[in-house]
Structure formats: structure tokens, C-alpha cells
């Protein structure tokens, strides 16, 4: 998986804070996170989101941190807009992600109609990937909306059991989630919060959109476990305070909240 794809994966994790199922509009929330790979602080991430009774909207920005910023140029910003529908699911409207990654300006824009995403821009084109069959795209959601669905379910039903197929413009990933369980938040990386939190466990598995003849196909298609710790914070609602997941190439990834405010 490329750094751009990894940035999208981190965005997916961070935007679990998109939706809480409240009947009233919530304030805009701004939060910052540190991203660690194998124990090293490599990325900084900012997320901003606001809730309405009818839907959600938000953005994330990811940049290198520490020594890696001397060698890697990356500034990726993602935006999402969507609606909540009566059955408890989400209905994405727009997903847009772009910026500098791997030395180039990159951009993907998805627009949704009739519960189906359409790639309206993909720069630069990635012709070395296996095409995704059109019949697999209906009922898929973008990365950020997929995790909005997770938190919406957690807040409205008290559970995060379910599955969703995620489409990021290049790949399809099957996400299966279970929980929550009440546990202590792990400590050790300057966490902003400690004590009890709701942990939802998940498994992600890429099912389509592989690079042609990739020697890593088996590794990329293998199930990748992870977990998200949610905590209810006064004035903010339920937010993700810690995320851990296994990356098929980079190994163990940890995302830790450093600060969150409502302006």
C-alpha cells in the first residue's frame, strides 16, 4: 500500500468521529492526532467535523512528522459529505481527497447517485490496477462515510456490530466490526485521555482493486485486525481517542488523540 493509500486509511480511522446519531446539531469539533508506525511518530493529523440531524460533514489533513518530514513530502486533505437515512445507514454524497504524495499532486473525487459511487476524477490515472467490476460498486461507501456509519450505530444502538464494503476510488475493502467492550485506554504515547472507554474491534480485508501481478497480493488480501477506542467527552460527544490496526506492509499502526476542542 502506498503512502497515499495509508493516508486514506488513517483518515478512515480518524473520521470515526463523524456521526453520533444525535437529534440535535452538534458543535464543530477540531481534533489533532499523532500517528505511530512500529513505535515511531511519523505523521500528524488534524480532523474537523460537524453533525446535523440530517447528516454529517468533515475533513482530515495528514502531514509527515519528525525526521520523516525531512525525506517525505506529503500533505493530503480529505473531505466528506453525507446523510443519515432512517434505517440507520449512511448515504454518502461526496468524497474528495487530494494533495502532494510520492512527489506528485494526486486527487480522487467520488460522487454518489442511486447508492452507487462514480469516480469523477482520478489523478494521475493508475492503469496498473485490476479494474473493479461495476456490479460490485452499488451499496459501497467511501472510507470516511464507512466509519461515520460505525459511530452512528454505536451511539444510536449501543453496538458497533456490522459490515460495510469501502471504496476509496481504487480499492474495495470489506470491513467487519464487533463490540463494544469496556476497557481501559492503553497508555504510553502521551494520550490525552485515560480510564475506561468503549473498544470496537474490526477486521479489514481488500477484496478488489489489486495491482496487476503484484507479489504482495496474498499479503494485501489477508485479513488485517484493528481496534478503535471511543470515549464520551463533555461538550464533544463520542469521539475516537485511540486507533490501532495492522498494515499489510508497514506493520503495527497506532493513532493517538492529542487534543480536541469545540470552537
Amino acid at each position: 500500500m502506498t503512502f497515499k493509500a495509508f493516508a486514506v486509511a488513517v483518515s478512515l480511522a480518524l473520521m470515526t468521529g463523524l456521526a453520533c446519531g444525535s437529534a440535535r446539531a452538534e458543535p464543530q469539533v477540531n481534533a489533532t492526532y499523532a500517528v505511530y508506525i512500529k513505535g515511531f511518530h511519523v505523521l500528524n493529523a488534524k480532523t474537523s467535523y460537524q453533525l446535523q440531524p440530517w447528516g454529517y460533514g468533515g475533513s482530515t489533513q495528514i502531514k509527515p512528522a519528525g525526521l520523516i518530514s525531512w525525506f517525505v513530502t506529503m500533505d493530503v486533505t480529505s473531505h466528506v459529505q453525507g446523510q443519515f437515512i432512517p434505517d440507520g445507514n449512511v448515504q454518502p454524497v461526496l468524497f474528495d481527497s487530494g494533495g502532494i504524495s510520492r512527489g506528485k499532486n494526486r486527487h480522487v473525487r467520488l460522487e454518489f447517485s442511486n447508492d452507487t459511487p462514480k469516480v469523477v476524477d482520478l489523478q494521475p490515472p493508475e492503469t496498473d490496477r485490476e479494474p473493479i467490476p461495476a456490479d460490485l460498486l452499488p451499496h459501497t461507501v467511501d472510507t470516511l462515510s464507512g466509519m461515520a456509519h460505525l459511530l452512528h450505530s454505536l451511539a444510536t444502538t449501543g453496538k458497533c456490530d456490522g459490515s460495510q464494503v469501502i471504496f476509496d476510488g481504487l480499492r474495495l475493502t470489506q470491513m467487519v466490526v464487533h463490540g463494544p467492550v469496556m476497557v481501559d485506554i492503553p497508555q504510553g504515547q502521551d494520550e490525552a485521555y485515560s480510564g475506561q472507554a468503549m473498544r470496537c474491534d474490526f477486521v479489514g480485508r481488500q477484496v478488489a482493486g489489486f495491482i496487476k501481478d503484484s507479489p504482495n497480493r496474498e499479503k494485501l488480501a489477508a485479513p488485517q485486525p484493528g481496534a478503535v477506542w471511543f470515549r464520551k467527552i463533555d461538550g464533544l460527544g463520542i469521539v475516537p481517542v485511540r486507533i490501532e490496526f495492522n498494515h499489510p506492509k508497514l506493520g503495527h499502526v497506532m493513532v493517538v488523540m492529542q487534543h480536541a476542542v469545540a470552537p
Side-chain angles (χ1 to χ4, degrees), residues 24-191:
R24 67 183 191 279
E26 297 288 345
Q28 178 177 313
V29 176
N30 300 320
T32 59
Y33 295 81
V35 182
Y36 298 83
I37 297 177
K38 296 181 179 178
F40 294 97
H41 183 191
V42 297
L43 297 173
N44 287 325
K46 296 180 180 179
T47 181
S48 178
Y49 59 90
Q50 187 169 24
L51 313 178
Q52 299 288 343
W54 49 267
Y56 55 92
S59 64
T60 64
Q61 183 182 30
I62 299 174
K63 293 184 177 182
L67 290 177
I68 196 173
S69 63
W70 295 4
F71 309 103
V72 175
T73 300
M74 183 175 66
D75 188 348
V76 178
T77 299
S78 302
H79 301 275
V80 68
Q81 296 176 13
Q83 304 172 20
F84 301 126
I85 55 179
D87 67 1
N89 212 327
V90 292
Q91 188 174 71
V93 175
L94 170 69
F95 172 79
D96 189 283
S97 181
I100 299 174
S101 177
R102 291 178 287 150
K104 294 183 179 180
N105 283 303
R106 301 179 184 276
H107 182 237
V108 59
R109 183 180 179 88
L110 307 180
E111 295 181 359
F112 291 78
S113 179
N114 298 320
D115 207 22
T116 302
K118 179 181 179 181
V119 180
V120 296
D121 190 37
L122 179 61
Q123 299 296 333
E126 297 201 18
T127 57
D128 60 342
R129 289 187 179 274
E130 298 173 357
I132 296 176
D135 62 349
L136 297 183
L137 291 177
H139 312 300
T140 64
V141 302
D142 65 87
T143 52
L144 306 187
S145 294
M147 299 309 286
H149 182 206
L150 167 61
L151 189 53
H152 184 68
S153 176
L154 179 63
T156 56
T157 70
K159 299 180 180 179
C160 48
D161 296 314
S163 64
Q164 191 87 66
V165 179
I166 308 297
F167 179 54
D168 67 2
L170 296 170
R171 293 160 287 263
L172 285 182
T173 301
Q174 176 75 46
M175 297 287 295
V176 179
V177 190
H178 297 290
V181 294
M182 292 299 298
V183 296
D184 286 331
I185 302 170
Q187 300 293 293
Q189 298 290 351
D190 296 324
E191 286 81 3

